[in-house]
Amino acid sequence: MQQDMTTGEIMPVILRFTFPLFIGNIFQQLYSMADTIIVGRCLGAAALAAVGATSTVSFLLLGFAMGLSSGFAVLTAQRFGAKDEDGVRISVSNGILLTVILSALLTVLGLLVIPGLLVLMQTPADILADSTRYMLVICRGLAASMFYNLFSAFLRSVGNSRAPLFFLIFSSVTNIFLDLYFIVHLGTGVEGAALATVLSQGLSALLCLFYILMRVHVLVPSLRHWGFHREASVHQLRMGVPMALQFSITAFGTIVMQSAINLFGSAAVAAFTAAWRIQNILTQGMIAMGQTMAAFCGQNFGKKDFARIREGVATAVRLEAVYSIAAGLASVILLPVFMRLFFSAGTDLEALMPFAMTYTVECAVFFIPLSMIFIFRNAMQGCSYSFLPLMGGVVEMAARVLCALAGIRFHSYLLSAGCDGAAWFTAGLFTLFAYRYMMEQLDPAPRK
């Protein structure tokens, strides 16, 4: 179902669009959660640490792909808001062709770089081989992830957040069964967990494609729309590349952070991995609101309704402040319960809990600035501002790297685990001022 976000009362429009995204994001995290829980309980803490040690590298690779896809869909949202259906279809065809080329290039690059990168990150020797095997499978299936994210972004750009939800629920359940089949029945180890993730994402991509062909005709190009269009290519690359670089810059900071965590051994890595997965689940409401702001601001930017953009962002900020407080409290209170999901009965949870609790508390304190990053960054991107969000990523990376280097220098887990909080606080302030600057440029008239 398409949704015109340029009309109607703002809060219901935002909530109606955000809720399916939130549920869908939760199920998307189940890809990783299923891998982590099944690996931890069936293969042991060492295998869990091996998968966990790749989380930042996965974020580097998959985040770059997601940034490209989201950037390509900004043009689609703007042309949909401007009621330019031919422009919508040209943006879709052009985005698909660009994704074919870039997914092939990124796959080759990843296969060449990943083994050396894991060594450079000082991945503990007892888990290095499993970590490498896991990531190589993920890399070979990069195209599945890119096309799923691309088709989902196209659907969101025309106001459809429900269809991706249903596909994600189906494929998440499939992922769990494939995890059990590959790991428990076939005994494929961590490679089986990676293969289950890739196959499930490929299934999501196919389901999105079939749905678009059957139901969302505004996103289906005809023969005359196919081919590379110079104007569309320039716009999509101008948005997609900075957004991808923004993810990569952030991922580089997390890689340095992971290197600092790795110094404390595989037990710390396993505990950090479990806590990080839990945090990812609880922050999905923030990510969903960011995705909503990209579509909302993109459509209203196409219509040149800047007052509505201001009001929509202000509404999102109020909603996310409440959500962030609730999520922060839940992450701390429920951590002992969640930790038991990841490890078998024989695991010494008392040895792992201090590592996990330290990271969780240091993150929860800064959930509000984290939610602001998602809102302001996506709002700017929806309005075709790509440089300021990229600089926000640079600020985030700098804070995370400096904190990680301090943790390494003083061999302090407290500092190493505080990298995310430091990054969110500094980047949250930067994106706030950057968003205000953008709105003064777009709509300098004094507000009543």
Side-chain angles (χ1 to χ4, degrees), residues 263-277:
L263 294 177
F264 296 90
S266 57
V269 175
F272 169 78
T273 299
W276 186 76
R277 299 292 192 196

Side-chain angles (χ1 to χ4, degrees), residues 175-210:
N175 182 63
I176 293 171
F177 281 108
L178 289 175
D179 269 327
L180 293 170
Y181 178 73
F182 288 135
I183 294 173
V184 178
H185 182 69
L186 297 182
T188 54
V190 295
E191 290 172 291
L195 183 59
T197 298
V198 167
L199 291 176
S200 298
Q201 287 186 329
L203 179 60
S204 294
L206 288 174
L207 290 172
C208 280
L209 175 60
F210 290 148

Side-chain angles (χ1 to χ4, degrees), residues 130-172:
D130 276 348
S131 294
T132 303
R133 284 195 290 268
Y134 181 88
M135 272 310 303
L136 290 178
V137 175
I138 293 293
C139 186
R140 293 186 185 105
L142 181 61
S145 175
M146 287 191 70
F147 276 101
Y148 165 69
N149 282 297
L150 181 70
F151 295 144
S152 295
F154 283 150
L155 286 169
R156 290 194 301 270
S157 71
V158 297
N160 189 329
S161 60
R162 295 184 183 180
L165 165 63
F166 297 125
F167 304 145
L168 268 174
I169 292 173
F170 178 76
S171 58
S172 295

Side-chain angles (χ1 to χ4, degrees), residues 243-425:
M243 289 173 71
L245 289 175
Q246 172 195 305
F247 276 101
S248 298
I249 289 169
T250 302
F252 176 79
T254 62
I255 286 174
V256 178
M257 176 185 175
Q258 183 72 59
S259 301
I261 299 292
N262 289 346
L263 294 177
F264 296 90
S266 57
V269 175
F272 169 78
T273 299
W276 186 76
R277 299 292 192 196
I278 294 163
Q279 178 225 107
N280 276 356
I281 288 288
L282 291 173
T283 56
Q284 290 309 304
M286 307 174 196
I287 296 172
M289 186 60 74
Q291 293 169 321
T292 298
M293 286 297 98
F296 179 90
C297 294
Q299 288 191 21
N300 284 285
F301 180 82
K303 192 181 177 181
K304 306 301 180 187
D305 191 344
F306 303 123
R308 188 173 174 85
I309 290 174
R310 287 185 188 276
E311 190 177 348
V313 169
T315 299
V317 167
R318 292 192 294 271
L319 290 169
E320 284 303 284
V322 175
Y323 176 87
S324 298
I325 294 170
L329 291 173
S331 68
V332 175
I333 295 170
L334 299 177
L335 180 65
V337 177
F338 287 139
M339 285 288 287
R340 295 189 185 96
L341 295 173
F342 291 90
F343 302 98
S344 59
T347 303
D348 184 6
L349 284 179
E350 289 188 6
L352 300 179
M353 276 301 298
F355 292 111
M357 184 60 76
T358 297
Y359 174 71
T360 299
V361 171
E362 291 192 68
C363 287
V365 171
F366 295 101
F367 271 3
I368 288 180
L370 173 62
S371 67
M372 298 305 106
I373 292 172
F374 288 115
I375 291 171
F376 297 133
R377 183 172 65 196
N378 282 279
M380 289 187 284
Q381 289 165 344
C383 295
S384 289
Y385 275 68
S386 58
F387 180 74
L388 290 174
L390 176 61
M391 289 300 101
V394 172
V395 170
E396 186 176 346
M397 178 199 70
R400 190 177 273 114
V401 167
L402 288 174
C403 195
L405 292 176
I408 293 170
R409 171 68 178 82
F410 297 106
H411 199 72
S412 167
Y413 183 79
L414 188 68
L415 284 171
S416 301
C419 293
D420 279 344
W424 299 340
F425 178 74

